[in-house]
Amino acid sequence: METEFLFFIAILLTSILYSSVGHGGASGYLAVMALFAIPPIYMRASALTLNMFVAGISFYHFYRGGHFRLKLLLPFVALSIPMSFLGARVDVNPITYKVILGVFLLMAVIRMLFFTKTEKETKPIHLPLALLFGAVLGFFSGMIGIGGGIILSPLLLLMGWASIKETAAISAIFIFLNSASGILGVMAQGFEPISSIYILIVLGIIGSMIGSRLGQKKFTSKYLMYVLSFVLLFASFKLFYLS
């Protein structure tokens, strides 16, 4: 019972932290589920479901703040949505799944620890590159159960295609759409979320309402970010060790 309570608290905190920067939190949910030894068969469907609710609410708040640019979103989702559906239909070997997930969790750690958010003057998007990045992110998002925001956000900022707030808005809706497409693909394979998914959805909604409002007020916590990075790092090594 105590373990289940800690699991719920971890999901709530993850949704708060990720939604504050426009993310759905799938990499965090997957890390938490890995730490609490949730079977891989339930992880992808559960993470995508939570992602859709949390990212959707986060997008709503950033959209109301006037940070959304439709022209920036379209090149990325044009191919990412169908590729996410196809990726979710790929039947991944449990060992392969753990290795791929571990790699993406390490990417999340690198993004949070070593990527500094500095404002740059935005420049026009490079359409062929955006289409390519969207397709690749969409496929892997559906295959391992993430929305792709942990890769898209630093990409947008490093390429100078969006400001920090615009990046949060674009990432949130990108994650929402890819997660929805991924869920359809998972349903085609057999939708199997964790038994407590409804409790997790409620916690995710509460967390996203808190986190997205904090993000709008420019509230950040480096301490929590370091804690989350440690959890992701620990979970990724655990996945590699168990593979």
Side-chain angles (χ1 to χ4, degrees):
M1 191 67 178
E2 181 180 348
T3 300
E4 188 176 34
F5 177 75
L6 291 175
F7 174 67
F8 290 152
I9 292 298
I11 292 293
L12 175 64
L13 293 176
T14 299
S15 67
I16 292 173
L17 184 58
Y18 272 80
S19 61
S20 68
V21 292
H23 287 188
S27 59
Y29 305 137
L30 290 169
V32 170
M33 285 187 273
L35 288 173
F36 283 86
I38 303 299
I41 190 174
Y42 303 121
M43 292 171 66
R44 185 163 51 164
S46 302
L48 286 172
T49 301
L50 283 171
N51 232 24
M52 192 169 66
F53 281 95
V54 175
I57 293 174
S58 182
F59 170 71
Y60 170 75
H61 284 280
F62 282 102
Y63 176 81
R64 288 196 63 184
H67 305 294
F68 176 61
R69 286 170 55 195
L70 180 61
K71 290 184 178 179
L72 182 59
L73 171 69
L74 292 178
F76 288 99
V77 298
L79 295 180
S80 72
I81 293 177
M83 292 303 290
S84 178
F85 177 81
L86 293 176
R89 300 196 66 179
V90 175
D91 189 12
V92 186
N93 178 280
I95 295 178
T96 304
Y97 176 85
K98 290 179 180 179
V99 171
I100 295 174
L101 177 57
V103 170
F104 271 78
L105 292 180
L106 283 176
M107 288 181 180
V109 173
I110 293 172
R111 185 247 190 242
M112 287 186 288
L113 289 181
F114 303 109
F115 185 78
T116 56
K117 291 185 174 182
T118 56
E119 289 284 2
K120 298 179 181 179
E121 184 179 348
T122 58
K123 56 186 178 182
I125 191 171
H126 190 281
L127 184 58
L129 274 180
L131 291 169
L132 175 62
F133 288 142
V136 174
L137 284 177
F139 182 79
F140 281 101
S141 295
M143 187 169 68
I144 67 176
I146 65 173
I150 59 172
I151 310 300
L152 179 62
S153 290
L155 174 67
L156 288 173
L157 293 172
L158 285 170
M159 299 299 290
W161 291 340
S163 67
I164 293 175
K165 290 294 184 180
E166 289 172 343
T167 295
I170 295 299
S171 294
I173 190 61
F174 180 83
I175 292 166
F176 174 84
L177 294 173
N178 279 332
S179 298
S181 178
I183 286 175
L184 292 177
V186 170
M187 289 177 68
Q189 296 292 97
F191 187 70
E192 295 187 69
I194 191 173
S195 59
S196 58
I197 186 62
Y198 295 110
I199 297 176
L200 299 186
I201 289 174
V202 172
L203 293 173
I205 291 174
I206 294 172
S208 63
M209 292 177 68
I210 297 172
S212 56
R213 288 186 178 181
L214 292 176
Q216 277 293 90
K217 295 179 180 179
K218 298 182 179 181
F219 174 82
T220 58
S221 173
K222 291 185 178 180
Y223 175 76
L224 286 178
M225 190 67 76
Y226 288 140
V227 170
L228 178 60
S229 298
F230 173 78
V231 172
L232 291 175
L233 186 62
F234 181 78
S236 64
F237 281 121
K238 180 180 179 181
L239 286 166
F240 288 131
Y241 177 75
L242 294 176
S243 299

